Amino acid sequence: MEQTQQFLKTETLSHFIGEHTQNLFGLQKKASIKEATALLQSKGILSVPVLDENNEYVGAVSCADLLRGLVRNLQANLGDGYLDNLSSVSPAELNNMGSFYGTKPVTSVLHDADLWMKGDQSTTLMHVLTEGFQIQNARVHHRIFVCDPAKRTHKLSTNSGPEMVINIKQGSEQENASSWVPTHVVSQLDIPRLLIEKKLANEISTSIDDLGLDKTVVHTVTASTPAIVAFH
């Protein structure tokens, strides 16, 4: 346990990214919720960065964001007690509500998420766990997005077309833009994979209490709870 804890506190995000990369996908902010849903489903990922017209980082959208937006859409159409009214709504009406929701812009459901700097040598994987993934909070982040300002070009796949090469340069300081372009992504699953790679797999079963992460907030629901309520 101490060996794992020490490793997470000393392994830097910069060093990890230098040795491990995965495909990065993004959405243009003009994309619709339907396009966002299709991208998440086709790539088997839980969140993507949202970019402006200069491919600068605006925020992120996750499966949870899409579900919360759907709940709000149902409430707007059926009222606060919408679950009690679903039985009186025809499949065609529900389909129309879902189709209308799918046409809304992805910016209507995105959340703020920090863009991490690769070159910051003080950022460790423990920081990523607690401050990036926010595993001690009720709503965790499944992935973080990283910018490497020293990288002149990189490839990023977006919903608007095939893979493109983007030049890294200081942005135009537009409102709601970060002035940086995401270049890397790190997911929660990358951490246990790294522990296995570093021969620390025998400690993966260590509890979050032993790792000093015991402040995690856990919400539970009954087995009969509708899925859309559970994700709200």
Side-chain angles (χ1 to χ4, degrees), residues 111-161:
H111 66 267
D112 293 332
D114 294 334
L115 186 61
W116 292 60
M117 292 294 111
K118 177 181 181 293
D120 185 356
Q121 295 298 323
S122 65
T123 300
T124 67
L125 293 186
M126 184 63 81
H127 290 126
V128 171
L129 281 170
T130 56
E131 300 170 28
F133 299 143
Q134 298 185 22
I135 61 173
Q136 295 175 326
N137 297 336
R139 291 179 176 172
V140 301
H141 292 169
H142 302 286
R143 314 166 91 211
I144 65 165
F145 306 107
V146 184
C147 171
D148 181 2
K151 193 173 184 180
R152 295 186 60 83
T153 63
H154 76 289
K155 293 182 178 180
L156 172 69
S157 298
T158 72
N159 61 298
S160 61

Side-chain angles (χ1 to χ4, degrees), residues 150-232:
K151 193 173 184 180
R152 295 186 60 83
T153 63
H154 76 289
K155 293 182 178 180
L156 172 69
S157 298
T158 72
N159 61 298
S160 61
E163 192 175 72
M164 65 184 72
V165 175
I166 298 174
N167 292 316
I168 304 296
K169 61 181 179 179
Q170 191 68 17
S172 56
E173 303 299 335
Q174 296 183 56
E175 185 179 359
N176 297 324
S178 66
S179 300
W180 295 107
V181 179
T183 57
H184 300 83
V185 58
V186 180
S187 70
Q188 285 189 18
L189 282 176
D190 289 332
I191 304 302
R193 287 170 180 158
L194 179 64
L195 295 180
I196 292 173
E197 176 187 319
K198 298 298 181 181
K199 311 300 183 183
L200 295 171
N202 61 318
E203 297 196 30
I204 289 181
S205 60
T206 301
S207 70
I208 58 174
D209 181 46
D210 290 335
L211 286 175
L213 303 173
D214 53 314
K215 296 181 181 179
T216 301
V217 177
V218 178
H219 289 249
T220 60
V221 296
T222 63
S224 60
T225 303
I228 197 168
V229 176
F231 282 101
H232 182 37

Side-chain angles (χ1 to χ4, degrees), residues 17-113:
I17 287 179
E19 295 188 341
H20 304 81
T21 59
Q22 58 175 296
N23 293 332
L24 176 63
F25 301 96
L27 284 166
Q28 298 291 339
K29 69 176 185 180
K30 63 183 180 181
S32 67
I33 287 175
K34 181 179 180 179
E35 290 175 304
T37 304
L39 179 63
L40 292 174
Q41 181 181 23
S42 65
K43 303 303 179 184
I45 54 180
L46 295 174
S47 63
V48 293
V50 179
L51 315 172
D52 68 9
E53 56 273 13
N54 293 321
N55 293 308
E56 293 176 354
Y57 186 70
V58 176
V61 64
S62 68
C63 292
D65 295 326
L66 297 175
L67 286 168
R68 283 192 287 269
L70 178 59
V71 168
R72 291 194 298 269
N73 189 63
L74 290 173
Q75 287 176 330
N77 284 276
L78 302 175
D80 290 338
Y82 68 95
L83 285 177
D84 298 327
N85 299 327
L86 284 179
S87 59
S88 63
V89 182
S90 70
E93 289 175 308
L94 283 175
N95 186 61
N96 288 336
M97 290 181 199
S99 296
F100 173 74
Y101 173 63
T103 64
K104 291 186 175 182
V106 70
T107 50
S108 65
V109 295
L110 63 77
H111 66 267
D112 293 332

